[in-house]
Amino acid sequence: AWQFGMFASPASAAISMVVLPFANQTGDPEKKYFSDGLARELRTVLSQNPRLKVSAPTSSNAIAGEDDFAIGRQLGVGHILRGSVQRDTERVRVTTELVAIEDGLVRWAETYDRALEDVFAVQSEIAQTVALELVAEVAGASEAQRAADTQQQIGGTSNVAAYEAFLRGHALYDLSTGSESDRAALAQFDAAIAADPDYAAAHAMRSTMLATIAGAANDVEEARRLYAQAITAAERAIAIEPDLARGHLALGLALNYGQLKRAKAIPHYRAAERLAPGDADILRGVATFHSYGTEQALAAQMIARVLELDPLNARALNAAGYIALFARDYPLVITRMRRALALNPGIVSARFGIANALLMMGDAAGALAEAAQEPVPIFALTAKAIAADRLGDAAAANAAFAALIDQYGDAGLYQQAQVLAQRGDLGEAITRLQQAYAVSDPGMLFAPNDPLLDPLRGEASFKDLLSRLGS
């Protein structure tokens, strides 16, 4: 079994804190990406410190109008790091303070007024000072310094234009509202790399976006090309910085989703977890990987830790919903997906997850209503074809199935198999799955634990297909 290293230390050894989004005081709402991004980068660095438990509210919807202390209590942490950012084309002023929630005492505060190109030094100084301030009190100065030394930022840049493009790209990545925002994010990561070709983190995020776009492609050849580019980008990130967790996660994802090479992906998922055991976004990807296989308990354990670190993250809740779906906990699927939608109403595939759960619970009408609101057509059509068939509306079911084939062709073979399995056409469903496997359809990752394929589980040819997926 794969050991879950992040539980090696007792919880009492960690000092808890939250990095709140920094206030944008530039006078330009379009610059919010910069203040939010600076806070997020600080969080990423601090999360590498083994003595800190770092949470972050990653949804502005979740904290709008909330008092900072109320947010901290909601997250169950002891300290708040908050701040503000003013900047123009040449200078940046960053004001920060570290506050204890229990008594409101300001533990540390500082204002940095620097040239814009010095923002990287400011970021490093804030992270170092906060870590020393928090850890020294409970563990002593020498232990605090050792812990702080582990949180060096790697894979970054010293180029302001590259950094700004990266922050814009990450803000678009966080939206997770479909192809348009994904392609816009990719363009920003491309711009970051153009400004600094050795920006490892940008190469890793470029890989992530290429794989995301490939997963939504309606053409098999385009998807194959995009996944190949994603693998190349991730390999480039790791070549520049071998210890970049995001690079290993991106490579594992591209190998697993793009080529169904689970065995080759495993070492990179392991490396990602080892290198960033306190980063909720990294752990979300590793937990999802586990949920596709036989380690459902480990996936549930890891995603629970992710939600503890980042309970206001719509992406994390969406992933948690699918992990619950594969574990057949349908009420929990709905609870988690509804929460994800409350935080980010445009998040993709959450409605499909709810529709799946409702279908398994016998509520075809409710599933049909969810399908109508799912923004991604391949998921909407799949759920509609199944739900309408359950309701006896053959015309609507056939129309949705025909549209699925027409719009996605071989890129939708897995979803076609889901519909056919639910209709009881087991032979044809298995044929489509075999075809999906032949073209490395990433939907096949769902197959071992997908409730929609349960009618096939007694078929020898299906069992043979599943045995090939683990290689």
Side-chain angles (χ1 to χ4, degrees), residues 78-287:
H79 303 84
I80 295 169
L81 178 64
R82 60 187 178 185
S84 63
V85 178
Q86 297 178 2
R87 58 152 295 186
D88 54 28
T89 56
E90 295 182 356
R91 299 197 67 79
V92 61
R93 171 175 287 182
V94 180
T95 300
T96 56
E97 63 177 10
L98 180 67
V99 186
I101 291 177
E102 184 177 0
D103 55 14
L105 179 67
V106 177
R107 301 279 300 272
W108 167 81
E110 188 62 79
T111 296
Y112 303 87
D113 193 347
R114 306 278 180 84
L116 184 58
E117 59 265 24
D118 290 335
V119 68
F120 310 105
V122 170
Q123 180 179 298
S124 178
E125 186 173 338
I126 293 171
Q128 185 83 355
T129 305
V130 167
L132 292 173
E133 180 68 31
L134 285 175
V135 178
E137 185 171 309
V138 298
S142 60
E143 170 61 22
Q145 186 62 60
R146 281 194 296 271
D149 288 344
T150 68
Q151 63 184 37
Q152 297 176 359
Q153 184 166 8
I154 59 173
T157 185
S158 58
N159 183 300
V160 173
Y163 184 67
E164 289 200 275
F166 181 85
L167 296 185
R168 284 193 293 266
H170 216 297
L172 289 161
Y173 162 78
D174 286 338
L175 281 178
S176 187
T177 54
S179 178
E180 185 175 348
S181 64
D182 290 341
R183 290 184 182 276
L186 176 62
Q188 292 299 327
F189 294 126
D190 283 341
I193 292 166
D196 180 358
D198 292 328
Y199 195 170
H203 284 284
M205 288 305 299
R206 180 175 188 267
S207 172
T208 299
M209 299 321 303
L210 285 164
T212 301
I213 295 166
N218 59 4
D219 179 84
V220 169
E221 290 305 317
E222 180 190 15
R224 185 177 286 120
R225 176 178 57 82
L226 289 167
Y227 277 122
Q229 291 177 9
I231 290 170
T232 299
E235 289 175 337
R236 174 63 177 149
I238 295 170
I240 297 168
E241 180 45 72
D243 289 337
L244 183 65
R246 173 65 64 181
H248 285 283
L249 184 70
L251 184 53
L253 185 148
L255 289 168
N256 199 38
Y257 284 74
Q259 299 182 352
L260 303 182
K261 292 182 177 178
R262 183 177 179 86
K264 286 189 175 182
I266 285 175
H268 296 289
Y269 281 101
R270 286 178 174 168
E273 182 196 350
R274 173 177 55 81
L275 293 166
D279 188 318
D281 200 41
I282 296 292
L283 295 176
R284 172 177 57 84
V286 180

Side-chain angles (χ1 to χ4, degrees), residues 363-388:
D363 184 2
L368 190 62
E370 294 297 329
Q373 299 179 74
E374 169 57 52
V376 180
I378 194 169
F379 299 140
L381 291 168
T382 300
K384 183 177 181 180
I386 297 169

Side-chain angles (χ1 to χ4, degrees), residues 19-22 33-46 56 58 123 166-171 173-174:
V19 182
L20 295 176
F22 283 13
Y33 74 88
F34 189 86
S35 53
D36 281 358
L38 179 58
R40 187 184 58 250
E41 293 292 286
L42 279 169
R43 176 215 181 185
T44 299
V45 173
L46 287 165
T58 50
Q123 180 179 298
F166 181 85
L167 296 185
R168 284 193 293 266
H170 216 297
Y173 162 78
D174 286 338

Side-chain angles (χ1 to χ4, degrees), residues 321 324 329-339 353-355 357-358 361:
D329 189 342
Y330 304 124
L332 184 58
V333 175
I334 295 169
T335 297
R336 286 174 166 173
M337 294 304 197
R338 295 278 188 225
R339 181 63 172 146
I354 295 172
L358 291 172
M361 295 168 71

